[in-house]
Amino acid sequence: MSANRYATIFLILIFNLNSLFAQCYENDKAFFDDSQRGWFWGESCKKKLEKDDENKTVEELATPGEPKYKISPKEVNIPWEIIDSLTRESVKQIEKESRDIAVTYPTYTNVLEHKKLQKYISDRAKEFMNQTINVTKQDFDMAQWVASLPVRSTTAINTEKEINTQKRIEIFQKYKNNMIVMVVTAKNCSFCEKQKPILKMLEEQYGVQYDTYEIDKFKDFAYAMKVERTPDMFLLFREYENDPKPKIVRIATGFHGLLDLVEAVVYGLKTIGKIKNEEVK
């Protein structure tokens, strides 16, 4: 009984091997008939299997648990008809996916759809903020609650700004005769021309003196200070008149507004050690 069972298993194995050999032989008969290379079927079958693999998709070749490639859609498709009912997380996910598609396929339509979605999100956020303001102003309980919160009022904020401005004016007046803002300019520099009236305001409102230096006439200075773009602004500070070793520090590069220039001068005075961080906020 045992011998018959093993004989049956052996016959099944022989049948399977013959089937595989027949398949290889049929597909590559010339190889097996080649007396110079021999009849070893393994090489030929391996080549055919490799050739078959070339025709398989990525999904078919991937083994279980192995990550598969994800093909990006070619068009941004925003579900406008239901977007108002979607959760915030869902809208964020759609925004991310639409951005990825627009970057991969930057057509006019794809970018436009993505920007429309960004505008939609921004508009909803603004609407929320406007309604928040309305609620805290019109509802008595909410108004009382907001008033009890430890937040600064607009009046307090404006008062603090006035104090800070006055503090800066006092510091600048203290060092008025010791410092000057050096502004390196260049011919045909449109930003340099726009910067000049703001520098004039800095001088008139805050008492900070300035002077301009055209880069073509001060090449050695520009080279030493590594000026690469204009306007380029430096704070020059002398401890006393005719100080042979004045301190100089770059405080701003490119076009700046008045308040930015004020903070740039404060930064310069901090850098050279004339004011401490706690003196100005």
Side-chain angles (χ1 to χ4, degrees):
M1 204 53 193
S2 176
N4 291 336
R5 184 178 61 182
Y6 287 120
T8 301
I9 294 174
F10 179 75
L11 289 174
I12 293 173
L13 178 61
I14 292 298
F15 176 78
N16 290 333
L17 289 175
N18 285 337
S19 297
L20 178 60
F21 179 81
Q23 180 184 3
C24 294
Y25 186 84
E26 180 181 356
N27 291 315
D28 206 351
K29 185 174 182 301
F31 171 78
F32 294 108
D33 291 343
D34 187 348
S35 59
Q36 299 297 321
R37 298 184 64 185
W39 55 269
F40 299 101
W41 56 270
E43 178 183 351
S44 178
C45 283
K46 181 180 179 182
K47 288 182 178 179
K48 181 179 185 303
L49 290 174
E50 289 175 349
K51 186 175 182 181
D52 289 342
D53 283 346
E54 292 176 0
N55 298 324
K56 292 184 178 180
T57 64
V58 174
E59 287 76 11
E60 290 173 332
L61 288 173
T63 57
E66 181 181 350
K68 300 177 181 179
Y69 292 105
K70 184 177 180 181
I71 305 300
S72 171
K74 293 186 178 181
E75 295 181 358
V76 173
N77 184 18
I78 308 297
W80 294 112
E81 64 280 2
I82 62 170
I83 197 164
D84 288 337
S85 61
L86 297 179
T87 64
R88 188 170 64 91
E89 291 300 322
S90 296
V91 175
K92 286 173 60 179
Q93 182 62 27
I94 293 172
E95 192 278 330
K96 178 182 180 301
E97 292 175 353
S98 66
R99 181 176 67 249
D100 291 343
I101 296 172
V103 170
T104 305
Y105 299 100
T107 64
Y108 180 89
T109 302
N110 284 345
V111 175
L112 178 61
E113 283 295 289
H114 173 61
K115 288 301 178 183
K116 284 181 178 179
L117 180 58
Q118 286 187 320
K119 182 178 181 301
Y120 168 84
I121 295 172
S122 176
D123 290 343
R124 292 297 294 270
K126 290 179 181 177
E127 183 179 349
F128 171 78
M129 292 302 300
N130 290 336
Q131 290 298 338
T132 299
I133 294 173
N134 290 337
V135 167
T136 55
K137 286 181 178 294
Q138 298 176 16
D139 185 89
F140 178 77
D141 291 335
M142 288 296 101
Q144 292 294 315
W145 173 66
V146 171
S148 67
L149 295 176
V151 296
R152 296 183 300 168
S153 65
T154 302
T155 302
I157 294 174
N158 290 336
T159 301
E160 183 176 332
K161 286 182 178 178
E162 292 176 3
I163 294 174
N164 289 337
T165 298
Q166 187 59 38
K167 183 66 175 178
R168 282 158 174 71
I169 292 175
E170 292 174 2
I171 292 173
F172 295 162
Q173 286 296 320
K174 178 181 179 181
Y175 297 114
K176 179 178 180 179
N177 297 324
N178 300 89
M179 66 180 184
I180 185 172
V181 175
M182 303 175 64
V183 186
V184 181
T185 62
K187 292 181 179 179
N188 302 321
C189 171
S190 61
F191 289 113
C192 297
E193 294 302 316
K194 293 179 180 179
Q195 191 69 73
K196 289 179 181 178
I198 298 177
L199 288 164
K200 188 68 175 176
M201 293 170 61
L202 178 69
E203 185 174 56
E204 293 175 350
Q205 297 181 27
Y206 290 85
V208 179
Q209 301 178 65
Y210 76 95
D211 202 356
T212 58
Y213 301 83
E214 190 174 311
I215 193 170
D216 290 338
K217 298 179 181 179
F218 295 88
K219 294 182 179 179
D220 292 342
F221 174 79
Y223 179 78
M225 300 306 297
K226 299 180 180 179
V227 175
E228 296 182 355
R229 63 181 67 181
T230 57
D232 207 357
M233 289 167 268
F234 302 84
L235 182 68
L236 179 76
F237 190 94
R238 292 187 175 93
E239 295 291 346
Y240 51 88
E241 188 176 357
N242 299 323
D243 182 358
K245 296 182 178 180
K247 298 180 177 67
I248 184 169
V249 59
R250 174 181 277 109
I251 58 173
T253 301
F255 178 78
H256 284 70
L258 178 60
L259 296 181
D260 289 336
L261 286 182
V262 170
E263 296 309 309
V265 175
V266 170
Y267 163 78
L269 291 173
K270 286 182 178 180
T271 302
I272 62 179
K274 290 303 169 182
I275 57 177
K276 299 179 181 179
N277 289 329
E278 56 269 21
E279 291 186 60
V280 290
K281 295 181 180 181

